[in-house]
């Protein structure tokens, strides 16, 4: 009976310590120190060229770090006894030879670690490629290649998953499918590191966020904290006495903008504070609602500095 | 290591180019053996004796047909880089020396096995055309088959090692074609003694000795040593490149 070995499910599973990768003068990843915990989806965000893919390549040993280390369960990737059963990775869509069929691509990988052929058929079924299992990868669309890459990552039923832009090329059904798959994998106690440039997707999928810019760590926090820390969290108030309320709120130390006639947007105060203040001054309210920052807004604020720097340097 | 071998074996045989290049090599060998065997007979009728045994005619044919085997071995590694499948290969087998050893063993066995078959089928093609002229003993036939297997297996190692260093199919195959065919002839053209001597150390010259059992410019044991050095040098070079470079 074949079973996947368990990776300890308490404490950090992936530990990056001072991880640095330089190409000549330019650092793709600079002194990245990070712990990735099991049982949740860690979203990995950053502008293009921030070093997300390089970090994942360093974790799996495809590239060697200039300094620092990346350990999985305390060991470097190359020292894992059964790498496929411990770590599943989807790093690029182009990782299967176009001349091979989907099934033979997976079968070869499976045989490298004694994973039975029925597991190949099971993952093909799981990703919805059973009907094209014997077709050549060269004839596949980008979405189908992504599914094949996900199948390869899941082949060894690993406790750790590294997924670089897995929704690339997937249709809306595919996007929803992978979101649910990723959520369920994390719910089973697995460690999932997911990079995506689709903010709304990340907001729906990740529990924890790691944001990097220009190879450096910008944020490492639960998603709620990242969203809560945004200055774009505000309260929308509609009132026939908007201008009077505006004065009172400003007086109470809140920041107020007027996006439209009879409407004000308040930051620096809670729904309760504003509601009570309006009541005390007899200001009628037609609407009092929270405007939460989207991940995109929070992310733009976080990375503004690093993107700006990048642009300035490019000039 | 068992898993690595099964992985490489599966990858090799799951590409259509593998059986096709083996079939093409066989076709070229049969054709070449027939032409060389037939023309040897014709030459003898005109009083010029060029060959003394049918397996020697096959050796001539293999020196032509070898290029498809070289391409097969080179593609086993360069195809991984051009298709991007090297990343899934190294995810599965992260210890790079083990990956290279697996490829070397599988290619050596498949291409060496093909060499045995080429020699046998080529001899069977040339012998009837050569009649008395091509007479050979069973021992000569076996030595020729083993020599051919050894030579083409060595070519596979050289192609694998060089392909691992260069990563591209075009550069690897072009370099090897130049090394195997025009190089020995060009080097022999010069008047310089040392260049002439050096040409004897090229793989195709050693391969020719190994396949025919000739004693010129050296015997089969020396030829085996020359090919072994080429194979090891290529594999060590490939290993060094794999170890020191990012995938």
């Amino acid at each position: 009976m074949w079973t996947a070995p368990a990776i300890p499910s308490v404490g950090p599973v992936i530990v990056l310590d001072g991880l640095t990768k330089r190409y000549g003068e330019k650092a793709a990843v600079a002194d990245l120190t990070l712990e990735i915990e099991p049982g949740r989806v860690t979203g990995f965000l950053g502008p293009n060229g921030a070093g997300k893919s390089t970090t994942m390549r360093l974790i799996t040993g495809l590239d060697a770090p200039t300094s620092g280390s990346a350990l999985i369960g305390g060991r470097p990737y190359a020292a894992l006894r059964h790498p496929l059963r411990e770590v599943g990775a989807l790093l690029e869509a182009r990782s299967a030879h176009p001349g091979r069929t989907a099934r033979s691509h997976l079968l070869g990988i499976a045989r490298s670690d004694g994973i039975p052929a029925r597991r190949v058929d099971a993952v093909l079924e799981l990703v919805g490629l059973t009907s094209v299992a014997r077709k050549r990868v060269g004839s596949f669309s980008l979405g189908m290649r992504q599914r094949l890459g996900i199948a390869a990552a899941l082949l060894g039923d690993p406790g750790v998953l590294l997924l670089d832009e897995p929704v690339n090329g997937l249709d809306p059904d595919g996007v929803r499918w992978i979101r649910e798959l990723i959520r369920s994998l994390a719910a089973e106690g697995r460690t999932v590191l997911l990079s995506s440039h689709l903010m709304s997707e990340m907001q729906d999928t990740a529990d924890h966020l790691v944001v990097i810019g220009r190879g450096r760590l910008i944020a490492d926090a639960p998603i709620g904290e990242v969203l809560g820390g945004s200055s774009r969290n505000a309260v929308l108030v509609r009132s026939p006495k908007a201008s009077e309320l505006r004065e009172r709120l400003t007086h109470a130390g809140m920041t107020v903008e007027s996006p439209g006639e009879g409407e004000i947007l308040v930051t620096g105060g809670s729904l309760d504070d504003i509601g009570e203040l309006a009541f005390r001054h007899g200001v009628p309210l037609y609407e009092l609602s929270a405007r939460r920052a989207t991940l995109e807004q929070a992310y733009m604020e976080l990375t503004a500095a690093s993107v700006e720097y990048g642009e300035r340097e490019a000039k | 290591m068992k898993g690595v071998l099964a992985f490489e074996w599966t990858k090799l045989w799951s590409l259509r180019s593998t059986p096709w290049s083996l079939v093409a090599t066989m076709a070229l060998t049969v054709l070449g053996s027939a032409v060389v065997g037939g023309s040897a007979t014709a030459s003898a009728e005109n009083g010029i004796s060029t060959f003394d045994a049918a397996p020697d005619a096959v050796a001539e044919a293999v020196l032509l047909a070898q290029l498809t085997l070289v391409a097969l071995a080179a593609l086993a590694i360069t195809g991984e880089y051009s298709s991007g499948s090297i990343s899934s290969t190294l995810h599965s087998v992260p210890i790079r020396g083990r990956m290279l050893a697996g490829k070397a063993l599988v290619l050596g066995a498949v291409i060496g096995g093909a060499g045995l078959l080429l020699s046998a089928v080529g001899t069977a093609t040339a012998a009837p055309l050569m009649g008395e002229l091509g007479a050979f003993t069973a021992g000569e036939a076996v030595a020729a088959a083993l020599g051919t297997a050894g030579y083409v297996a060595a070519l596979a190692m050289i192609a694998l090692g060089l392909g691992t260093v260069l990563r591209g199919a075009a550069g690897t195959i072009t370099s090897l074609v130049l090394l195997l065919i025009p190089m020995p002839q060009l080097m022999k053209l010069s008047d310089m003694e040392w260049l002439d001597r050096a040409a004897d150390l090229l793989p195709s010259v050693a391969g020719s000795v190994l396949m025919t059992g000739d004693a010129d410019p050296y015997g089969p044991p020396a030829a085996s040593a020359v090919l072994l050095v080429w194979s090891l040098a290529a594999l060590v070079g490939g290993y060094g490149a794999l170890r020191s470079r990012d995938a």
Side-chain angles (χ1 to χ4, degrees), chain B residues 51-119:
Chain B
F51 290 97
D52 48 8
D56 293 1
V58 180
E60 283 288 300
V62 169
L63 285 175
L64 187 83
Q66 63 186 349
L67 298 180
T68 45
L69 294 180
V70 164
L72 176 62
L75 283 171
I77 183 71
T78 60
E80 296 242 23
Y81 284 103
S82 63
S83 68
S85 65
I86 188 70
S87 68
S88 39
T89 294
L90 290 177
H91 279 312
S92 312
V93 186
I95 300 172
R96 297 180 180 193
R98 194 177 289 180
M99 187 275 279
L100 187 65
K103 272 198 200 297
L105 287 171
V106 167
L107 283 174
V110 169
I111 292 182
L116 288 178
L117 205 63
L118 292 176
S119 181

Side-chain angles (χ1 to χ4, degrees), chain B residues 12 36 42 55 67-68 87 89 103 123-124 154 160 165 191 196 202 208 223 245:
Chain B
L12 186 66
V36 177
L67 298 180
T68 45
S87 68
T89 294
K103 272 198 200 297
T123 303
L160 173 63
V165 175
D191 287 336
D196 197 73
L202 291 174
S208 186
R245 283 174 18 199

Side-chain angles (χ1 to χ4, degrees), chain A residues 21 57 64 77 95 100 136, chain B residues 14 16 88 91 96 246-247:
Chain A
K21 177 69 176 178
R57 290 176 66 86
Y77 187 84
S95 64
R100 245 171 232 129
R136 271 164 223 288
Chain B
S14 59
R16 264 191 210 163
S88 39
H91 279 312
R96 297 180 180 193
D246 289 339

Side-chain angles (χ1 to χ4, degrees), chain B:
Chain B
M1 199 63 209
K2 207 179 106 196
V4 179
L5 294 176
F7 184 24
E8 291 300 334
W9 179 267
T10 308
K11 280 193 288 184
L12 186 66
W13 290 106
S14 59
L15 288 177
R16 264 191 210 163
S17 52
T18 302
W20 278 116
S21 44
L22 291 174
V23 165
T25 314
M26 182 55 85
L28 281 172
T29 305
V30 166
L31 195 70
S33 300
V35 170
V36 177
S39 65
T41 309
S43 302
E45 279 164 7
N46 293 322
I48 312 158
S49 178
T50 44
F51 290 97
D52 48 8
D56 293 1
V58 180
E60 283 288 300
V62 169
L63 285 175
L64 187 83
Q66 63 186 349
L67 298 180
T68 45
L69 294 180
V70 164
L72 176 62
L75 283 171
I77 183 71
T78 60
E80 296 242 23
Y81 284 103
S82 63
S83 68
S85 65
I86 188 70
S87 68
S88 39
T89 294
L90 290 177
H91 279 312
S92 312
V93 186
I95 300 172
R96 297 180 180 193
R98 194 177 289 180
M99 187 275 279
L100 187 65
K103 272 198 200 297
L105 287 171
V106 167
L107 283 174
V110 169
I111 292 182
L116 288 178
L117 205 63
L118 292 176
S119 181
V121 175
T123 303
T125 309
L129 294 167
M130 298 175 81
E132 277 300 302
L133 183 74
F136 58 93
T137 66
E140 281 173 338
V142 169
L146 291 175
T148 307
Y151 173 53
V152 292
L155 285 183
M157 299 305 105
I158 298 170
L160 173 63
L162 188 66
T164 309
V165 175
L166 298 181
R167 295 190 174 184
T172 306
I173 294 172
T174 309
S175 312
L176 287 170
V177 168
L178 292 175
L179 177 74
L180 295 174
I181 316 269
M183 270 281 266
Q185 290 164 19
L186 287 174
M187 285 166 75
K188 292 271 182 200
L189 278 180
S190 86
D191 287 336
M192 280 172 278
E193 167 95 22
W194 65 270
L195 205 58
D196 197 73
R197 286 273 182 82
D200 291 341
L201 298 176
L202 291 174
S204 51
V205 176
S208 186
V209 169
L210 202 59
M211 290 190 286
T212 59
D214 269 356
D216 177 49
Y218 40 68
S224 304
V226 167
L227 289 171
L228 197 64
V229 169
W230 274 97
S231 305
L232 285 177
L235 289 176
V236 167
Y239 177 67
L242 264 184
R243 275 295 300 258
S244 60
R245 283 174 18 199
D246 289 339

Side-chain angles (χ1 to χ4, degrees), chain A:
Chain A
M1 178 67 202
W2 169 81
T3 47
I7 284 244
S9 61
V10 280
V13 172
I14 302 174
V15 177
L16 312 184
D17 184 11
L19 192 67
T20 302
K21 177 69 176 178
R22 296 186 166 279
Y23 296 104
E25 280 295 291
K26 193 182 175 291
V29 176
D31 197 23
L32 200 57
T33 296
L34 194 62
E35 293 184 343
I36 296 162
E37 306 272 347
R40 67 191 191 192
V41 178
T42 301
F44 199 21
L45 290 173
N48 284 337
K52 304 185 295 292
S53 299
T54 305
T55 303
M56 291 210 188
R57 290 176 66 86
L58 292 169
I59 294 173
T60 54
L62 284 179
D63 295 353
T66 310
S67 62
S69 67
L71 301 179
I72 302 164
R75 282 169 300 164
Y77 187 84
L80 297 177
R81 204 163 147 57
H82 296 285
L84 297 176
R85 304 189 198 183
E86 296 175 55
V87 181
L90 168 76
L91 295 200
E92 41 205 316
R94 236 174 49 93
S95 64
H97 194 295
R100 245 171 232 129
T101 67
R103 191 171 186 279
S104 56
H105 169 68
L106 295 176
L107 201 58
I109 295 172
R111 283 182 178 154
S112 75
D113 200 10
I115 296 168
R118 67 186 139 79
R119 177 69 189 162
V120 170
D121 296 320
V123 292
L124 280 166
E125 178 82 47
L126 179 69
V127 303
L129 289 180
T130 303
S131 62
V132 292
R134 286 168 204 279
K135 290 246 177 354
R136 271 164 223 288
V137 175
S139 68
F140 281 16
S141 66
L142 177 60
M144 288 159 86
R145 282 176 209 226
Q146 285 288 20
R147 286 173 186 264
L148 181 61
I150 292 160
L154 294 174
L155 202 51
D157 198 16
V160 176
L161 283 148
L162 305 171
L163 307 171
D164 195 4
E165 300 278 0
V167 303
N168 258 3
L170 292 181
D171 55 21
D173 272 351
V175 171
R176 196 171 59 213
W177 165 74
I178 188 125
R179 181 198 310 149
E180 280 160 15
L181 178 70
I182 290 170
R183 297 287 330 152
S184 71
L185 290 168
E188 287 164 12
R190 294 176 217 255
T191 307
V192 183
L193 181 61
L194 164 74
S195 87
S196 174
H197 66 279
L198 297 177
M199 294 300 151
S200 57
E201 194 44 48
M202 196 60 105
Q203 193 165 2
D204 292 343
T205 314
D207 305 298
H208 192 90
L209 286 180
V210 169
V211 183
I212 62 171
R214 300 183 52 76
R216 291 183 184 280
L217 189 65
I218 294 177
D220 174 11
I223 192 159
E225 212 172 279
V226 172
L227 292 173
S230 169
S231 65
R232 302 297 288 266
N233 287 307
V235 176
L236 182 77
V237 186
R238 280 198 305 121
S239 165
K241 290 180 163 183
S243 53
E244 185 196 336
L245 185 60
R246 181 176 180 151
E247 269 167 46
R248 306 248 179 230
L249 291 168
T250 313
H251 191 69
M254 301 178 197
T255 310
V256 185
E257 293 168 55
S258 303
E261 182 68 27
E263 267 185 2
I264 52 175
L265 200 58
V266 190
T267 46
S270 70
L271 290 170
D272 301 10
D273 295 340
I274 298 164
E276 241 166 68
L277 193 140
F279 177 73
R280 262 191 277 125
H281 294 93
V283 174
L285 297 184
Y286 294 166
E287 181 177 353
L288 179 65
S289 62
R291 284 283 178 271
R292 300 214 182 284
T294 62
L295 180 57
E296 186 162 1
Q297 291 165 340
Y299 167 82
M300 294 309 276
E301 283 177 51
L302 279 172
T303 57
S306 104
V307 170
E308 228 170 79
Y309 181 43
E311 281 172 355
R312 196 184 307 142
E313 195 191 51
K315 275 173 194 167

